[in-house]
Amino acid sequence: MFIGAQVSLYPMTSEFIRVILSGLEALTPYRDSLRIETDDISTLMVGAPGPLFDAVRDLFARTAQDPAHVTMHVTFSRGCPGEPDEPACRCETLTRAQGTPLAQRQAEALAAVQAAPVLGVEIDVQFSLYVLGQDRHMDEIYGCIDVLKASGTFLRSKNFCTRLRGDAGAVFETVRQAFLRFGPAEGHVTIDLTASANSPSPR
Amino acid sequence: MFIGAQVSLYPMTSEFIRVILSGLEALTPYRDSLRIETDDISTLMVGAPGPLFDAVRDLFARTAQDPAHVTMHVTFSRGCPGEPDEPACRCETLTRAQGTPLAQRQAEALAAVQAAPVLGVEIDVQFSLYVLGQDRHMDEIYGCIDVLKASGTFLRSKNFCTRLRGDAGAVFETVRQAFLRFGPAEGHVTIDLTASANSPSPR
């Protein structure tokens, strides 16, 4: 199993380099557990979903504490058939989810969101979950959407994606649960996510 | 069939509102053929792939003419089972692709890229193509990657995505061909795309 993300941070300020470099300090605690490589478009992070989602969350929460409007785009992926097996990506939650009925996975996902830490940073997110390589991929998607609606972070459905809003702790836990609990444990699942904070647009 | 995109433009300048509003003028010629709705995170565009990709291309090319570093994220989607049928989205290229062998679709895709207009704006793109609801989704992905490599816009493969570079005309035509010619004509296909121009990072 290979699990990772391509992450891009976009501060809407002429001082964007300073804001990005300051945000990257939030990754320091995760550099031992993740492989992190940056190019001119995005930063690749490879590792288990525990540190992976925590790192992405902390990167955005840190950057959102600057007054500038900032957005982040993340492509999360697990189980892509084109990627090598990576032992550091192993995840007990995924292994246990294999063969667990949908209702139980939904209950576990909601419990995890309720237990999420409060970071004190309000954010907006929209994301799409893609379960690949399955004839009946929409059953898992609809099962996930039920959890999103009950998560306390659900804002509304949009064409092609779902909007969440709330504390960065609960919002990123909701996204991690969507990524881990839906679609086959050994399957190919991806997420296309946009986060936003400090937007001048009316919310 | 329902076809559309969620589009977000990110100018990395404190004058981001001016740059976005100026870029939006590039959408004027397409307002009759696309449904366009904006909220605080993204702009929904719904319509046939002809005007849809042209509009997204022109929006980014216009914005990239400003000296500021600018990026754009787009989620393209066709055939999502959760969306209603929309007659304005009908596309002859998609209809003809149904049942056409992979080799012929690849040749038609390359011919379309070669015929793309030159806009005189150099851009970088990375994107992922997702073919949903199919057991053997990677066959179509690998068939598409062969076309990308021969397109003249291919830069390199990355984890989870492919990098393109070149004139905005050829690059967006390459992405449109990936979207239209791979995966079943009536199937659910999405693209997660990031475009970048005027980056201060070494390319």
Side-chain angles (χ1 to χ4, degrees):
Chain A
M1 175 69 73
F2 191 92
I3 300 178
Q6 293 283 3
V7 185
S8 304
L9 203 54
Y10 306 126
M12 252 65 74
T13 163
S14 302
E15 294 184 56
F16 66 97
I17 295 173
R18 176 188 62 74
V19 176
I20 290 174
L21 293 177
S22 155
L24 289 174
E25 292 170 13
L27 297 183
T28 304
Y30 303 104
R31 289 191 182 273
D32 286 345
S33 42
L34 299 176
R35 175 154 66 89
I36 300 180
E37 296 167 9
T38 296
D39 71 14
D40 58 311
I41 292 212
S42 58
T43 293
L44 173 71
M45 301 185 193
V46 176
L52 177 66
F53 279 80
D54 286 358
V56 168
R57 174 197 69 198
D58 289 359
L59 172 64
F60 191 67
R62 174 79 61 96
T63 315
Q65 286 169 336
D66 191 278
H69 175 33
V70 61
T71 64
M72 178 176 70
H73 178 259
V74 190
T75 302
F76 290 101
S77 173
R78 66 171 169 91
C80 177
E83 308 282 0
D85 184 49
E86 175 63 59
C89 297
R90 294 229 171 101
C91 170
E92 206 194 325
T93 302
L94 258 179
T95 311
R96 277 190 292 108
Q98 184 79 55
T100 306
L102 179 61
Q104 187 181 334
R105 286 182 278 135
Q106 290 175 316
E108 289 171 353
L110 287 171
V113 174
Q114 278 154 19
V118 175
L119 273 68
V121 180
E122 284 286 305
I123 67 168
D124 280 84
V125 154
Q126 74 184 28
F127 79 108
S128 310
L129 175 71
Y130 301 124
V131 177
L132 294 135
Q134 278 214 309
D135 283 345
R136 296 182 55 81
H137 69 293
M138 293 304 288
D139 291 357
E140 290 287 316
I141 303 299
Y142 292 135
C144 176
I145 289 173
D146 287 344
V147 166
L148 299 181
K149 288 184 172 168
S151 68
T153 63
F154 180 81
L155 182 66
R156 61 190 173 88
S157 298
K158 289 177 65 168
N159 294 101
F160 321 134
C161 55
T162 298
R163 277 287 296 264
L164 306 181
R165 173 174 291 173
D167 184 84
V171 167
F172 278 102
E173 193 58 55
T174 304
V175 177
R176 171 161 42 203
Q177 294 303 314
F179 184 70
L180 289 180
R181 308 268 187 189
F182 302 91
E186 297 300 319
H188 183 191
V189 171
T190 69
I191 280 179
D192 171 353
L193 174 143
T194 298
S196 172
N198 310 328
S199 170
S201 299
R203 285 171 56 153
Chain B
M1 176 70 69
F2 190 91
I3 301 178
Q6 293 282 3
V7 184
S8 304
L9 203 55
Y10 306 125
M12 252 66 72
T13 164
S14 302
E15 293 185 58
F16 66 94
I17 295 173
R18 176 189 61 74
V19 176
I20 290 174
L21 293 177
S22 155
L24 288 174
E25 291 170 14
L27 297 183
T28 304
Y30 304 104
R31 289 192 182 273
D32 285 346
S33 43
L34 299 175
R35 174 153 68 87
I36 300 179
E37 296 167 9
T38 296
D39 71 14
D40 58 313
I41 291 210
S42 58
T43 292
L44 172 70
M45 301 185 193
V46 176
L52 177 65
F53 279 80
D54 286 357
V56 168
R57 173 197 69 199
D58 289 359
L59 172 65
F60 190 66
R62 174 78 61 96
T63 315
Q65 286 169 336
D66 190 279
H69 175 33
V70 61
T71 64
M72 177 176 70
H73 177 258
V74 189
T75 302
F76 291 101
S77 173
R78 65 171 169 93
C80 178
E83 307 283 359
D85 184 50
E86 176 62 59
C89 297
R90 295 232 169 99
C91 170
E92 208 194 323
T93 302
L94 258 179
T95 310
R96 277 190 292 109
Q98 183 77 56
T100 305
L102 179 61
Q104 185 180 336
R105 286 183 279 135
Q106 290 176 314
E108 289 171 354
L110 287 172
V113 174
Q114 278 153 17
V118 176
L119 273 68
V121 180
E122 284 285 306
I123 66 168
D124 280 86
V125 152
Q126 76 185 25
F127 80 106
S128 310
L129 175 71
Y130 301 123
V131 176
L132 294 135
Q134 276 213 311
D135 282 344
R136 297 181 57 80
H137 69 295
M138 293 304 288
D139 293 356
E140 291 286 316
I141 302 299
Y142 292 135
C144 176
I145 289 172
D146 288 343
V147 166
L148 300 181
K149 287 184 173 167
S151 68
T153 63
F154 180 81
L155 181 66
R156 64 189 172 90
S157 296
K158 289 177 65 169
N159 294 100
F160 322 135
C161 55
T162 299
R163 277 286 297 267
L164 307 181
R165 173 175 291 173
D167 185 84
V171 168
F172 278 103
E173 193 58 56
T174 304
V175 178
R176 171 161 43 202
Q177 294 303 314
F179 185 70
L180 289 180
R181 308 268 186 190
F182 303 92
E186 297 300 319
H188 183 192
V189 172
T190 68
I191 279 179
D192 171 353
L193 174 143
T194 298
S196 173
N198 310 327
S199 171
S201 298
R203 282 170 57 153

